[in-house]
């Protein structure tokens, strides 16, 4: 006979509530993906509204690409949810904690060395995640991305890159975690304030050093050559008082033919990074009879990447690149970057404050198999990952809505700079280059799209373009 829910111990109620919410989110996501897959399957011809924007060949390619990605996402999501459920039901977290304790004990560290055991636990957990995720990543890269012409990596490059990412992640994660745990241990009643300030400092340092010291470990960055494009970028930055110091081109083509651009840096030290795949006259993936600008030498090119020329030019011309950067600089000028940082840190402070209230509740630990100990790292995992999951879902949706609003504002900023026509054509080109499917289910796009659908952005730009 089943026991009434009201009679269950609070620990079991917590456990089953976490598990139930996790599956509720998964089923909701699966339902949204099903709605979008139905769009991919049924929309086989270019809608009339898109007739002047996308040819039928590109439309079909994008439809099949997005359908493959959606099907892959369904199976990988089902695996991930099942794996997480089994880990919880079979006591995988306390088991791995015990294994970490056994490892540290072999080196003479007893249970009083909680931080040391926590670091071993974290290493084992991230290693498990990397190993179980590797087949899915391989399939995504060498089956789906390869099939649709985006992958530029070899197996050797991919595996070396994966090992390098794991090592670099551990070199950052382990010292930061050990210091955070130490701060929580010695911080007293106000430890949550010190912990928040520490994570704030770490995030600012990582943002500052990422592009200069971390990203170059994986991709080659070279200064944009002197010429018309660089001069125009500097002139545009100066016109809005953007403190630009350097413009880089990153060799993204050795990894993928997807394109991107971004800026980084604090205060008076801003830098712009352009993917070589974004630059029509710079991308090694373009096949043209015209002489291409001299490419920087790279020892990786011949053996680790396989740049495959395309029959048509990829990327944007110089005026379109300036329009894309006008959009990106609009995020800076309108304060979107600062607003996102403020929102992130307010959320971080709130979470640490609630963590301080909940960390002493033994039933939270017992619910997940920790009857005799209350490790701080496990408390962080339980509270931030499981207990806060409903709040995290709501926050994620709100940030998605805010992001779409920011994107429209940045488009309007570029339009105000007189670049509506160039941005209009750039968005179409980028959508084609990345095989974005321009038709979306309204509920799926509302929940998932951090950028407005292409047609909505083009409509917003259209009037100014016609003027």
């Amino acid at each position: 006979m089943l026991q009434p829910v009201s009679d269950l111990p609070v620990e079991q109620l917590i456990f089953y509530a976490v598990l139930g919410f996790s599956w509720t989110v998964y089923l909701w996501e699966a339902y949204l993906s099903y709605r979008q897959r139905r769009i991919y399957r049924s929309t086989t011809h270019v809608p009339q509204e898109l007739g002047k924007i996308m040819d039928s060949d590109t439309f079909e390619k994008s439809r099949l690409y997005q359908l493959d990605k959606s099907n892959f996402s369904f199976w990988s999501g089902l695996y991930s949810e099942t794996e997480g459920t089994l880990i919880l039901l079979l006591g995988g977290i306390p088991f791995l904690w015990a294994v970490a304790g056994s490892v540290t004990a072999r080196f003479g560290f007893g249970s009083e060395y909680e931080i040391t055991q926590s670091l071993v636990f974290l290493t084992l957990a991230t290693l498990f995640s990397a190993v179980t995720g590797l087949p899915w990543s391989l399939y995504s890269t060498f089956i789906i991305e390869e099939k649709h012409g985006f992958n530029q990596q070899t197996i050797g490059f991919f595996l070396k890159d994966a090992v390098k990412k794991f090592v670099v992640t551990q070199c950052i994660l382990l010292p930061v975690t050990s210091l955070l745990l130490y701060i929580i241990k010695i911080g007293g009643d106000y430890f949550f304030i010190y912990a928040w300030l520490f994570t704030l400092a770490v995030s600012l340092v990582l943002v500052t050093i990422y592009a200069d010291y971390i990203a170059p470990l994986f991709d080659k960055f070279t200064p944009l050559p002197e010429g018309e494009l660089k001069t125009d970028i500097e002139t545009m930055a100066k016109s809005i008082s953007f403190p630009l110091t350097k413009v880089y081109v990153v060799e993204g083509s050795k990894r993928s033919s997807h394109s991107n651009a971004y800026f980084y840096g604090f205060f008076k030290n801003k830098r712009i990074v352009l993917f070589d795949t974004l630059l029509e006259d710079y991308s090694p993936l373009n096949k043209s009879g015209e002489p291409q600008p001299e490419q920087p030498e790279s020892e990786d090119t011949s053996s680790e990447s396989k740049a495959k020329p395309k029959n048509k030019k990829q990327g944007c011309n110089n005026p379109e690149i300036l329009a894309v950067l006008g959009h990106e600089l609009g995020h800076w000028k309108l304060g979107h970057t600062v607003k996102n940082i403020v929102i992130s840190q307010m959320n971080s402070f709130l979470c640490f404050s609630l963590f301080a209230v909940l960390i002493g509740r033994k039933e939270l630990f017992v619910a997940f198999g920790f009857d005799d100990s209350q490790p701080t790292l496990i408390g962080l995992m339980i509270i931030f990952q499981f207990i806060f999951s409903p709040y995290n879902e709501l926050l994620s949706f709100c940030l998605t809505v805010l992001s779409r609003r920011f994107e429209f504002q940045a488009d309007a900023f570029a339009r105000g700079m007189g670049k509506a026509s160039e941005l209009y054509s750039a968005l179409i080109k980028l959508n084609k280059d990345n095989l974005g499917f321009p038709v979306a289910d309204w509920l799926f796009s509302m929940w998932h799209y951090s950028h407005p659908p292409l047609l909505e952005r083009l409509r917003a730009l259209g009037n100014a373009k016609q003027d």
Side-chain angles (χ1 to χ4, degrees):
M1 184 176 178
L2 292 176
Q3 188 177 4
V5 173
S6 58
D7 294 339
L8 289 175
V10 65
E11 296 84 2
Q12 290 187 27
L13 287 175
I14 293 172
F15 180 83
Y16 290 123
V18 166
L19 207 56
F21 184 79
S22 179
W23 275 96
T24 299
V25 170
Y26 167 75
L27 293 174
W28 168 246
E29 296 281 0
Y31 169 68
L32 293 178
S33 297
Y34 163 75
R35 290 175 62 103
Q36 184 62 22
R37 275 196 301 278
R38 195 168 56 185
I39 295 289
Y40 295 146
R41 292 193 178 102
S42 62
T43 313
T44 56
H45 300 288
V46 182
Q48 185 176 359
E49 191 176 7
L50 297 170
K52 296 181 180 180
I53 296 174
M54 182 177 282
D55 60 86
S56 58
D57 182 54
T58 303
F59 185 84
E60 179 65 7
K61 287 179 179 178
S62 66
R63 185 184 75 85
L64 295 176
Y65 175 54
Q66 297 299 334
L67 185 58
D68 281 350
K69 284 178 62 178
S70 182
N71 287 330
F72 171 80
S73 178
F74 169 79
W75 291 109
S76 62
L78 179 61
Y79 168 81
S80 179
E81 188 65 25
T82 304
E83 178 190 85
T85 299
L86 290 175
I87 288 173
L88 290 179
L89 290 174
L90 300 177
I93 299 175
F95 171 76
L96 195 62
W97 180 258
V99 171
S102 299
V103 172
T104 55
R106 284 180 176 270
F107 292 92
F109 296 100
S111 58
E112 67 274 14
Y113 290 91
E114 184 189 310
I115 293 179
T116 303
Q117 185 174 349
S118 297
L119 298 184
V120 175
F121 172 86
L122 200 56
T123 302
L124 294 174
T126 51
L127 182 61
F128 173 82
S129 178
V131 170
T132 56
L134 184 60
W136 296 99
S137 185
L138 283 168
Y139 187 90
S140 174
T141 301
F142 292 99
I143 301 297
I144 296 178
E145 295 295 303
E146 181 81 21
K147 173 183 175 182
H148 295 279
F150 289 112
N151 177 48
Q152 303 297 325
Q153 304 175 71
T154 62
I155 289 285
F157 176 83
F158 177 90
L159 294 176
K160 190 177 86 169
D161 207 44
V163 171
K164 195 187 297 184
K165 285 178 183 176
F166 182 82
V167 171
V168 171
T169 299
Q170 299 308 306
C171 289
I172 297 172
L173 183 63
L174 296 182
V176 169
T177 302
S178 62
L179 285 172
L180 177 61
L181 295 177
Y182 182 72
I183 289 170
I184 293 174
K185 290 286 186 185
I186 68 166
D189 293 340
Y190 298 101
F191 78 84
F192 63 96
I193 297 178
Y194 308 135
W196 168 68
L197 290 173
F198 172 71
T199 56
L200 170 61
V202 168
S203 62
L204 293 178
V205 169
L206 287 177
V207 167
T208 302
I209 70 172
Y210 173 78
D212 287 326
Y213 300 102
I214 300 175
L217 296 173
F218 302 94
D219 297 299
K220 187 168 185 176
F221 288 71
T222 55
L224 180 67
E226 296 293 336
E228 181 183 353
L229 178 59
K230 185 177 181 183
T231 301
D232 289 344
I233 290 174
E234 291 172 342
T235 301
M236 183 173 67
K238 188 175 181 180
S239 71
I240 61 170
S241 302
F242 181 78
L244 179 65
T245 56
K246 292 182 181 178
V247 183
Y248 289 112
V249 177
V250 60
E251 192 182 13
S253 56
K254 72 175 183 179
R255 190 181 304 276
S256 170
S257 58
H258 289 297
S259 52
N260 198 6
Y262 62 91
F263 70 87
Y264 69 98
F266 286 107
F267 307 114
K268 300 296 182 181
N269 188 30
K270 306 287 188 185
R271 297 156 190 214
I272 289 174
V273 175
L274 305 169
F275 278 52
D276 59 354
T277 48
L278 178 67
L279 310 179
E280 182 181 79
D281 295 329
Y282 203 84
S283 174
L285 303 180
N286 285 331
K287 182 179 180 180
S288 173
E290 300 175 2
Q292 296 294 317
E294 184 178 347
Q295 298 298 314
E297 293 183 3
S298 171
E299 65 274 14
D300 296 334
T301 302
S302 59
S303 62
E304 295 186 336
S305 62
K306 45 179 183 180
K308 294 174 281 192
K310 296 197 171 187
N311 294 325
K312 60 181 180 178
K313 278 195 171 186
Q314 169 171 331
C316 300
N317 58 37
N318 287 1
E320 291 165 343
I321 292 167
L322 291 172
V324 171
L325 289 179
H327 168 95
E328 295 300 327
L329 295 182
H331 285 305
W332 171 79
K333 191 69 173 178
L334 298 171
H336 296 165
T337 307
V338 173
K339 290 173 184 176
N340 281 328
I341 291 175
V342 170
I343 292 171
S344 173
Q345 293 309 313
M346 288 175 61
N347 172 63
S348 179
F349 181 78
L350 173 63
C351 289
F352 273 116
S353 300
L354 294 174
F355 171 77
V357 174
L358 297 173
I359 187 63
R361 304 298 294 266
K362 184 179 180 181
E363 57 266 30
L364 292 178
F365 291 88
V366 174
F368 294 92
F370 289 83
D371 299 328
D372 303 319
S373 62
Q374 299 179 40
T376 303
L377 178 65
I378 300 301
L380 284 167
M381 179 186 296
I382 291 172
I383 294 171
F384 276 78
Q385 183 175 341
F386 299 142
I387 305 303
F388 288 170
S389 54
Y391 165 74
N392 290 336
E393 288 295 323
L394 177 62
L395 178 65
S396 176
F397 173 70
C398 292
L399 291 178
T400 299
V401 173
L402 181 64
S403 175
R404 284 199 297 269
R405 180 179 176 85
F406 284 170
E407 292 301 318
F408 276 126
Q409 291 176 355
D411 282 351
F413 183 85
R415 184 180 65 204
M417 297 179 73
K419 301 188 180 301
S421 179
E422 293 83 359
L423 184 58
Y424 191 99
S425 60
L427 289 175
I428 294 172
K429 281 188 178 181
L430 292 174
N431 186 78
K432 289 179 179 178
D433 287 346
N434 293 284
L435 291 184
F437 194 69
V439 183
D441 174 76
W442 72 270
L443 193 57
F444 180 87
S445 64
M446 180 188 73
W447 188 261
H448 282 293
Y449 284 10
S450 60
H451 286 58
L454 175 65
L455 281 177
E456 292 184 22
R457 297 180 72 178
L458 295 182
R459 289 192 197 108
L461 289 167
N463 292 333
K465 179 178 180 291
Q466 292 166 7
D467 293 342

